[in-house]
Amino acid sequence: MPYRQDYDAQSSKHSEQSAFRFQRVAKVPLGIDDDDSYMDMSDDAVQLKPRQQHWANKMQFVLACIGYSVGLGNVWRFPYMCYKSGGGVFLVPYCIILFICSIPLLFMELSVGQYTGRGPIGALGQLCPLFKGAGLASVVVSFLMSTYYSVIIGYSIYYFFTSFKTQMPWIDCNNRWNTPDCWVPQRKELNASAPDTSRTPSEEFFENKVLQISGGLEYPGMMRWELFACLICAWLMVYFATWKSIKSSAKVRYFTATFPFVLIIILMVRAVTLDGAAEGLRYFFRPKWSELKNANVWINAASQNFNSLGITFGSMISFASYNKYNNNILRDTIAVSAVNMITSLLVGIFAFSTLGNLALEQNTNVRDVIGDGPGMIFVVYPQAMAKMPYAQLWAVMFFFMLLCLGLNSQFAIVEVVVTSIQDGFPRWIKRHLGYHEIVVLFVCVISCLFGMPNIIQGGIYYFQLMDHYAASVTIMFLAFCQMIAIAWFYGTGRLSKNVKQMTGKAPSFYLRSCWLVLGPCLLFAIWVLSLINYREPTYHNGRYTYPDWAYGIGWMFASFSLVCIPGYAIINFMRTSGDSFWDRIRNTLRPNIYECKICGEHHCEHDYPEQEQYMLAQELATVYKPTTSHLHHLGQKSGYNAMQASTTGPHGSHSEYKYQSKVHSEPPPNATDEKNGK
């Protein structure tokens, strides 16, 4: 006993100095600077363990989701898809899919990401290992999208700097790139009808000056070096905004996710006051019911839903994986869905009001005003800017807004790819690359190289082909597989229990029925309809038809993601142990959720970084004592072990250390029962 008192006296000062740091490490959730682990852990252990929480506050997460939703998916893609699909008829399947598939699937992805604390590959691999390939397929689609979304940012940079010219080059036909078909829209009172082959100045500027478009995909042409410089500039901005992960991109979003709203509302108010706007709005809101049997309308509506909300691309799972464990998922789902839907309608009103004005001035109908290519935004919107007072100022602000929206979308896409690579290959990354900044640089450089074909003279045809097959045709099948894996094999009961553990409230009957029956049935029906009544994509209202080999390239893009699902399922099946075929199937369908070795919970206070645990064990050397210590011979009882560290001795032997604070040691002989209880 005297020896114990001497020992306690020696360690008292060190214990008091280290108490604050011990409580900070042992009691708080995962720290902000944890990089998975610097201990000798296996890849599987690192992949299963929930990631640290990075969001500094709730607003950063909401802005990240809204910034991705209110990005190019709304301002660029929605009017382009709606116009391509026949206007008002597009809104019918769009709303049906939104409420039956998109909103429930968004809630599901946020729940899965927040509960597992992993990206799409790690999350689906834990819930249903057999469908881990669906998470990999989402990452592949995101990578393919990153290669051509950056091209839209490059276009925006080009238009942004061009807008500073004293005379904007898309308002008249007096430029060297204009052709005899160029026709400046006239007022209807002048009784001047546009020729059948006429094109607006903004259309000729985009195709003849910006793109220098060739005759087709079979005529690739030369590299557009001006666009190449803009593309490099775009990737530099993306890299320096994401090189510190969401710690850097979250700060940028405070501006890029809020500024576009103000400008969109102003532009919409101006557009609805233009002559002919009513005709454009009728085309936007009045459906042509006979077009509902067209499979491409449903495919485009589904892909637009998933693109605008960011679901099935892994972005929302990755964003939610940085959330606090008890974050309110339902509130986030409603907020993001509502903002996304309202923004799409505002942008649609703005775009189709402008199209109605152009149709009036050209004395034609809205459907034949311009081509339905992916560059529609760079044809319609500059024409609208030219009609506003202080047109140059509005043009600069608009293309700066488009640049912000493009960066928002690109941040999310790059982050999901980087996150998935780090989740899937943690030890390889630490061994060969070492730093997060190197991983981001690697992804940006590879994506930039794969995006080069989009900026040659025939690149716009390649752009549309990739967008159609990589982000439209395959996206429904990925959503179907994701719903099946989580709702059917992992189970809505388990998922509901997980949501209740995190938020205190289980999902509603509406959400569970959409997960289990309505969503998969609707997606499967659209998939079958698309196979029965499928139409190949064309360019410029069918004036250009792709050669047969181009469709082969398109399906090759689609197969890059689709092949991941059966391929990874076969790999997992072969790796799984089992005496029979069905035993292996059952093992690959069994969830592989991380559980704490101390308390058995998925998220708990023991999930702190192993590196800091090891450093703390070394710092508190007098407080951590080996279990084989001579103190055991003195009859000391072991207290509750809140922290354990495994260290290697000089000869490779391992000693287990347990925390023995003064409050856990035996009290002095003269202590009362009351003090002993305290």
Side-chain angles (χ1 to χ4, degrees):
M1 189 65 66
Y3 178 84
R4 286 187 57 193
Q5 293 177 351
D6 293 339
Y7 175 82
D8 287 340
Q10 293 174 0
S11 62
S12 174
K13 183 178 180 180
H14 198 155
S15 299
E16 292 173 356
Q17 292 174 347
S18 304
F20 174 78
R21 184 161 185 256
F22 168 74
Q23 292 179 1
R24 177 177 66 85
V25 176
K27 298 295 179 65
V28 301
L30 295 173
I32 207 94
D33 294 319
D34 177 26
D35 287 326
D36 282 328
S37 172
Y38 286 87
M39 303 289 286
D40 187 16
M41 297 179 65
S42 65
D43 281 350
D44 293 338
V46 175
Q47 186 174 2
L48 288 177
K49 187 171 182 178
R51 185 189 294 109
Q52 69 231 18
Q53 315 304 335
H54 275 296
W55 297 115
N57 52 61
K58 174 77 170 180
M59 183 58 65
Q60 288 188 357
F61 169 68
V62 174
L63 286 179
C65 295
I66 292 178
Y68 183 61
S69 299
V70 187
L72 292 181
N74 292 82
V75 179
W76 165 67
R77 193 182 180 88
F78 181 82
Y80 152 55
M81 282 294 180
C82 187
Y83 187 72
K84 180 180 178 180
S85 303
V89 68
F90 175 82
L91 296 180
V92 178
Y94 178 83
C95 293
I96 294 175
I97 297 172
L98 176 67
F99 288 101
I100 294 181
C101 296
S102 299
I103 295 178
L105 193 55
L106 175 61
F107 185 88
M108 175 186 285
E109 288 199 354
L110 294 180
S111 304
V112 167
Q114 183 169 307
Y115 181 74
T116 61
R118 293 286 94 188
I121 300 178
L124 288 175
Q126 289 187 35
L127 302 185
C128 186
L130 187 65
F131 283 87
K132 188 176 183 179
L136 180 60
S138 299
V139 178
V140 172
V141 172
S142 294
F143 172 76
L144 293 176
M145 287 183 62
S146 71
T147 63
Y148 65 87
Y149 259 40
S150 58
V151 178
I152 299 293
I153 303 176
Y155 292 163
S156 304
I157 295 174
Y158 187 96
Y159 271 83
F160 174 73
F161 286 107
T162 305
S163 300
F164 283 98
K165 292 185 177 181
T166 54
Q167 183 73 17
M168 290 184 295
W170 52 75
I171 61 175
D172 56 43
C173 296
N174 301 324
N175 304 286
R176 55 183 176 80
W177 57 80
N178 293 126
T179 66
D181 293 331
C182 182
W183 188 80
V184 179
Q186 306 292 330
R187 294 188 59 84
K188 191 173 182 180
E189 290 81 357
L190 300 178
N191 198 22
S193 298
D196 294 336
T197 59
S198 67
R199 297 194 300 174
T200 61
S202 60
E203 188 175 4
E204 289 216 335
F205 174 77
F206 178 68
E207 293 190 351
N208 297 344
K209 178 64 173 71
V210 179
L211 302 179
Q212 295 183 9
I213 189 170
S214 66
L217 187 61
E218 58 271 32
Y219 307 105
M222 302 294 294
M223 177 70 70
R224 289 287 295 115
W225 294 110
E226 293 169 303
L227 295 181
F228 174 80
C230 293
L231 183 67
I232 297 298
C233 182
W235 275 111
L236 286 175
M237 288 190 291
V238 171
Y239 172 72
F240 286 109
T242 57
W243 70 330
K244 295 293 185 183
S245 187
I246 59 173
K247 295 179 184 178
S248 55
S249 62
K251 298 176 182 178
V252 179
R253 286 192 180 96
Y254 279 111
F255 177 77
T256 60
T258 55
F259 169 73
F261 278 103
V262 180
L263 200 57
I264 287 174
I265 294 175
I266 295 174
L267 294 175
M268 184 207 66
V269 173
R270 170 57 182 165
V272 296
T273 61
L274 296 173
D275 295 336
E279 186 64 29
L281 293 177
R282 275 193 290 269
Y283 185 81
F284 179 55
F285 287 110
R286 183 177 295 173
K288 189 177 180 181
W289 299 104
S290 60
E291 290 294 323
L292 282 177
K293 62 183 180 181
N294 186 350
N296 279 352
V297 174
W298 291 86
I299 295 175
N300 294 337
S303 65
Q304 174 56 32
N305 262 285
F306 301 148
N307 271 275
S308 60
L309 277 176
I311 52 180
T312 317
F313 294 95
S315 301
M316 291 303 175
I317 296 180
S318 295
F319 284 158
S321 68
Y322 294 99
N323 267 343
K324 293 182 179 178
Y325 185 64
N326 60 349
N327 177 62
N328 192 324
I329 309 167
L330 181 60
R331 191 187 315 165
D332 297 335
T333 303
I334 295 174
V336 173
S337 301
V339 171
N340 172 75
M341 186 168 54
I342 293 173
T343 307
S344 296
L345 290 177
L346 293 178
V347 172
I349 292 173
F350 166 47
F352 282 88
S353 297
T354 307
L355 286 173
N357 176 258
L358 293 177
L360 176 67
E361 293 181 335
Q362 295 185 23
N363 198 17
T364 184
N365 56 63
V366 177
R367 183 68 186 93
D368 299 325
V369 171
I370 60 172
D372 59 355
M376 171 187 167
I377 186 175
F378 298 102
V379 175
V380 176
Y381 294 167
Q383 199 75 24
M385 299 300 106
K387 298 178 180 297
M388 300 183 69
Y390 308 103
Q392 186 179 11
L393 174 63
W394 287 109
V396 170
M397 293 179 63
F398 173 79
F399 289 112
F400 180 71
M401 176 200 75
L402 194 61
L403 175 62
C404 294
L405 294 174
L407 290 174
N408 274 331
S409 300
Q410 194 73 341
F411 292 161
I413 294 172
V414 171
E415 282 167 0
V416 71
V417 176
V418 172
T419 298
S420 301
I421 292 175
Q422 290 180 324
D423 287 351
F425 311 98
R427 289 172 63 89
W428 188 92
I429 294 297
K430 291 174 184 176
R431 188 182 304 115
H432 295 89
L433 299 181
Y435 297 97
H436 177 83
E437 293 84 354
I438 303 299
V439 182
V440 178
L441 179 63
F442 178 78
V443 172
C444 290
V445 170
I446 297 298
S447 299
C448 182
L449 293 176
F450 274 85
M452 292 297 181
N454 293 287
I455 56 175
I456 59 178
Q457 290 179 318
I460 193 66
Y461 304 104
Y462 180 83
F463 183 104
Q464 185 181 19
L465 199 68
M466 179 176 286
D467 181 63
H468 179 79
Y469 284 98
S472 296
V473 173
T474 62
I475 204 67
M476 286 181 303
F477 188 72
L478 295 184
F480 175 77
C481 291
Q482 186 171 305
M483 272 194 168
I484 292 297
I486 299 176
W488 289 15
F489 292 108
Y490 181 69
T492 55
R494 285 174 176 165
L495 184 59
S496 300
K497 180 182 177 181
N498 300 150
V499 174
K500 189 172 183 179
Q501 289 174 348
M502 292 186 292
T503 64
K505 187 176 181 181
S508 64
F509 175 76
Y510 157 71
L511 290 172
R512 286 184 279 115
S513 61
C514 289
W515 292 341
L516 198 61
V517 180
L518 299 179
C521 289
L522 179 60
L523 290 175
F524 184 75
I526 298 174
W527 176 257
V528 173
L529 179 64
S530 66
L531 295 178
I532 296 175
N533 186 22
Y534 178 72
R535 296 180 186 176
E536 290 84 1
T538 60
Y539 188 79
H540 209 296
N541 296 336
R543 297 179 188 176
Y544 172 77
T545 303
Y546 287 90
D548 293 338
W549 56 266
Y551 298 124
I553 295 177
W555 283 110
M556 181 183 67
F557 290 142
S559 65
F560 285 159
S561 58
L562 293 179
V563 75
C564 295
I565 301 175
Y568 223 111
I570 294 174
I571 293 174
N572 280 336
F573 177 81
M574 298 301 294
R575 289 179 176 178
T576 303
S577 60
D579 297 332
S580 65
F581 175 83
W582 294 111
D583 287 341
R584 291 192 174 192
I585 291 293
R586 281 192 291 269
N587 289 336
T588 55
L589 293 175
R590 185 177 295 116
N592 189 24
I593 301 293
Y594 166 80
E595 293 181 354
C596 176
K597 294 181 180 180
I598 298 176
C599 64
E601 294 293 332
H602 182 64
H603 281 259
C604 63
E605 64 181 8
H606 308 114
D607 289 326
Y608 45 83
E610 287 81 10
Q611 180 197 17
E612 195 162 357
Q613 173 187 350
Y614 177 79
M615 293 173 63
L616 187 61
Q618 299 301 311
E619 179 181 337
L620 305 181
T622 57
V623 182
Y624 284 155
K625 296 175 292 184
T627 56
T628 57
S629 170
H630 58 275
L631 295 179
H632 285 277
H633 298 287
L634 299 176
Q636 181 181 2
K637 296 181 181 180
S638 299
Y640 172 68
N641 176 19
M643 299 180 62
Q644 293 182 355
S646 179
T647 59
T648 305
H651 300 289
S653 60
H654 292 268
S655 298
E656 182 182 9
Y657 290 85
K658 294 190 176 182
Y659 180 76
Q660 304 282 355
S661 68
K662 294 201 308 180
V663 296
H664 292 111
S665 61
E666 290 184 8
N670 59 350
T672 62
D673 292 340
E674 179 180 358
K675 293 181 180 179
N676 198 13
K678 291 183 180 179

